[in-house]
């Protein structure tokens, strides 16, 4: 019995001595590379999980752990803009590894933003285009403008009418005919503005604060009649319009 105990004790001490004699002078050398360009990934963080220690790669992507015992280890490598990589390695001797890191995982594809800005207007306005004017060629100016919201007409007979914008007319409403204020608008209700609306290419009613930039004693709105510029052309040009009434 004593001999068996002695042999067991000897074997236990031998095993312990072998364990303590296990070499811990191995090194782990590694390099991190960009998997898409094969360029070094500098300043990546490398963490040795079992030993709870870490380091950073240098500018060439290299890192090193010294005095490592033989065994199994997990390496966790992370870098800004890359997907984190976790490796499992068995250390039986000096070990060298190359770690590819994919930058494309965190990169967005190219985005092109195209925008166009329309014309900016500070005033509230509404317009009659040439097509609208031609379709109402049997009407006078005030009757044409009645199709615009907020515009009415003071009528005194079949062809005598003055435009009214939000209740304002006369000297409170300016009619600009090719940049010139129409004085006939300021006369009494039995006078209509002496304007041929068919001579205009565009008629615009401007309301609100935008009327300040125009001449006249305007308190409410402005009616703009705009014609095309007369070009220096030696040829004769014209247009005929007709309408029918019953």
């Amino acid at each position: 019995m004593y001999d068996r105990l002695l042999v067991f004790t000897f074997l236990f001490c031998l095993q312990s001595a072998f364990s303590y004699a296990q070499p811990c002078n191995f090194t782990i050398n590694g390099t991190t590379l960009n998997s898409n360009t094969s360029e070094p990934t500098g300043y990546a963080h490398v963490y040795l999980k079992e030993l709870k220690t870490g380091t950073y790669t240098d500018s060439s992507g290299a890192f090193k752990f010294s005095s490592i015992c033989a065994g199994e280890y997990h390496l966790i490598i992370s870098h800004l803009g890359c997907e984190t990589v976790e490796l499992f390695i068995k250390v039986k001797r000096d070990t060298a590894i190359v770690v590819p890191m994919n930058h494309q995982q965190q990169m967005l594809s190219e985005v092109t933003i195209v925008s166009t800005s329309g014309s900016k207007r500070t005033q509230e306005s509404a317009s009659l285009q040439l097509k609208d004017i031609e379709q109402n060629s049997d009407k006078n100016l005030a009757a044409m403008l009645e199709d615009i919201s907020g515009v009415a007409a003071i009528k005194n007979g079949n062809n005598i009418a003055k435009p009214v914008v939000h209740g304002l007319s006369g000297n409170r409403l300016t009619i600009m005919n090719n940049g010139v204020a129409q004085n006939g608008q300021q006369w009494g209700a039995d006078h209509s503005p002496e304007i041929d609306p068919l001579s205009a290419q565009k008629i615009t009613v401007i309301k609100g604060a935008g009327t300040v930039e125009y001449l006249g004693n305007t308190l409410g709105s402005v009616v703009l009649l705009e014609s095309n510029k007369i070009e220096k052309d030696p040829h004769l040009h014209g247009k005929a319009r007709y309408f029918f009434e019953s």
Side-chain angles (χ1 to χ4, degrees):
M1 182 67 181
Y2 175 77
D3 293 337
R4 292 182 180 179
L5 180 61
L6 182 62
V7 171
F8 177 79
T9 304
F10 174 76
L11 292 176
F12 177 78
C13 292
L14 182 62
Q15 183 180 3
S16 300
F18 178 77
S19 299
Y20 282 108
Q22 184 179 6
C24 290
N25 56 355
F26 296 139
T27 61
I28 300 176
N29 292 282
T31 304
T32 57
L33 297 176
N34 187 323
S35 62
N36 301 290
T37 63
S38 297
E39 296 179 352
T41 304
Y43 312 108
H45 183 253
V46 184
Y47 182 69
L48 195 56
K49 189 174 182 180
E50 282 71 16
L51 299 182
K52 297 182 180 180
T53 184
T55 185
Y56 285 91
T57 61
D58 58 19
S59 58
S60 62
F63 66 91
K64 180 179 181 180
F65 290 100
S66 302
S67 302
I68 302 298
C69 300
E72 298 178 347
Y73 298 95
H74 291 83
L75 276 177
I76 302 174
I77 303 98
S78 58
H79 187 265
L80 183 64
C82 296
E83 185 177 10
T84 300
V85 177
E86 185 170 349
L87 300 177
F88 174 74
I89 59 175
K90 292 183 178 181
V91 176
K92 298 180 180 179
R93 61 184 68 86
D94 291 340
T95 305
I97 59 174
V98 176
V99 183
M101 306 193 72
N102 191 353
H103 274 260
Q104 297 294 337
Q105 292 291 338
Q106 303 299 326
M107 292 180 63
L108 297 177
S109 57
E110 181 180 352
V111 177
T112 303
I113 300 176
V114 180
S115 176
T116 57
S117 60
S119 58
K120 297 180 180 179
R121 303 182 63 91
T122 58
Q123 66 265 31
E124 181 185 356
S125 62
S127 300
L128 295 177
Q129 304 298 327
L130 179 60
K131 182 179 179 181
D132 302 318
I133 297 173
E134 291 178 342
Q135 288 180 347
N136 294 279
S137 57
D138 59 322
K139 299 179 181 179
N140 55 38
L141 176 63
M144 284 186 182
L145 295 179
E146 281 186 305
D147 293 334
I148 297 177
S149 176
V151 180
I154 299 176
K155 297 180 181 179
N156 189 0
N158 293 331
N159 295 317
I160 301 175
K162 298 167 68 71
V164 179
V165 180
H166 290 310
L168 300 178
S169 63
N171 59 0
R172 296 186 178 185
L173 176 64
T174 299
I175 298 179
M176 301 289 292
N177 189 7
N178 287 321
V180 179
Q182 197 79 17
N183 288 329
Q185 170 66 8
Q186 301 179 15
W187 298 345
D190 55 342
H191 292 83
S192 63
E194 57 278 14
I195 295 176
D196 179 14
L198 299 181
S199 64
Q201 299 291 317
K202 181 180 179 181
I203 303 176
T204 305
V205 177
I206 299 177
K207 310 171 186 177
T211 60
V212 175
E213 63 179 295
Y214 299 97
L215 300 175
N217 300 322
T218 303
L219 297 179
S221 303
V222 173
V223 179
L224 297 179
L225 286 90
E226 305 171 65
S227 301
N228 286 341
K229 182 180 179 181
I230 299 177
E231 303 290 345
K232 294 182 179 180
D233 192 337
H235 300 91
L236 183 64
H237 298 272
K239 183 183 291 186
R241 295 189 181 94
Y242 57 87
F243 61 91
F244 300 93
E245 285 186 346
S246 62

